[in-house]
């Protein structure tokens, strides 16, 4: 808004006029999400909604690094079990093992890590047995 409210005019009337004039100039044309329903209207109100949305959008976490690594190790175990090949299994477990070893050398914030690197050879034997190779 570039002008001040004239004396004697109510705030509501002045604001309505500003919005109407902006709409007439096309200031609201082409805005992202125009004509679409507002997201999450069916959810209960949460004061932290904007923080949660930003964290989700930017793939951020508020967990301590040790807990994040535990979750990544669990995901890696599942991904390795479902790997399409033994080579993929070895790649997945090698990558997470590097991260686990780094965390063991320089402890992370948060609760104790309580992780050890995966035994890749044992995981490969199990994979071959389950996949008939």
């Amino acid at each position: 808004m570039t002008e001040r409210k004239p004396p004697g005019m109510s705030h509501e009337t002045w604001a309505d006029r500003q919005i109407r004039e902006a709409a007439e100039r096309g200031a609201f044309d082409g805005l992202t999400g125009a004509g679409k329903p507002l997201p999450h209207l069916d959810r209960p109100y949460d004061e932290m909604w904007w923080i949660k949305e930003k964290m989700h959008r930017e793939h951020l976490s508020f967990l301590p690094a040790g807990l994040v690594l535990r979750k990544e190790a669990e995901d890696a175990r599942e991904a390795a079990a479902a790997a399409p090949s033994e080579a993929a299994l070895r790649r997945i477990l090698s990558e997470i093992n590097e991260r686990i070893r780094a965390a063991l050398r320089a402890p992370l914030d948060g609760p104790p890590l309580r992780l050890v690197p995966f035994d890749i050879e044992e995981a490969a034997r199990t994979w071959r047995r389950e996949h008939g190779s």
Side-chain angles (χ1 to χ4, degrees):
M1 295 182 198
T2 58
E3 61 186 71
R4 299 186 72 121
K5 177 184 83 62
M9 184 180 277
S10 73
H11 282 284
E12 183 177 358
T13 305
W14 180 73
D16 289 339
R17 191 183 92 209
Q18 294 293 312
I19 293 169
R20 181 182 45 77
E21 289 174 356
E24 290 170 357
R25 286 192 312 270
F28 303 126
D29 295 346
L31 293 176
T32 303
K36 296 178 184 174
L38 295 173
H40 313 304
L41 285 179
D42 57 339
R43 293 184 186 173
Y45 179 71
D46 180 3
E47 290 181 4
M48 305 292 276
W49 69 268
W50 64 275
I51 294 172
K52 292 175 182 176
E53 287 293 318
K54 182 169 179 64
M55 291 180 73
H56 176 73
R57 212 174 31 250
E58 297 185 10
H59 305 290
L60 300 174
S61 173
F62 55 85
L63 293 174
L67 291 180
V68 171
L69 185 55
R70 281 192 209 173
K71 173 66 173 131
E72 289 173 354
E74 181 181 314
D75 292 345
R77 179 191 322 266
E78 292 172 8
S85 67
E86 185 178 336
L89 171 134
R90 290 177 179 278
R91 181 185 46 77
I92 292 166
L93 294 182
S94 294
E95 288 173 4
I96 195 68
N97 278 353
E98 287 177 27
R99 300 198 56 219
I100 291 170
R101 286 186 185 102
L104 293 172
R105 282 192 300 274
L108 303 171
D109 292 337
L113 189 57
R114 294 196 175 115
L115 281 177
V116 294
F118 290 97
D119 183 342
I120 296 175
E121 294 307 317
E122 178 59 32
R125 279 192 293 277
T126 302
W127 186 92
R128 284 192 301 268
R129 189 172 53 248
E130 290 176 0
H131 290 82
S133 296

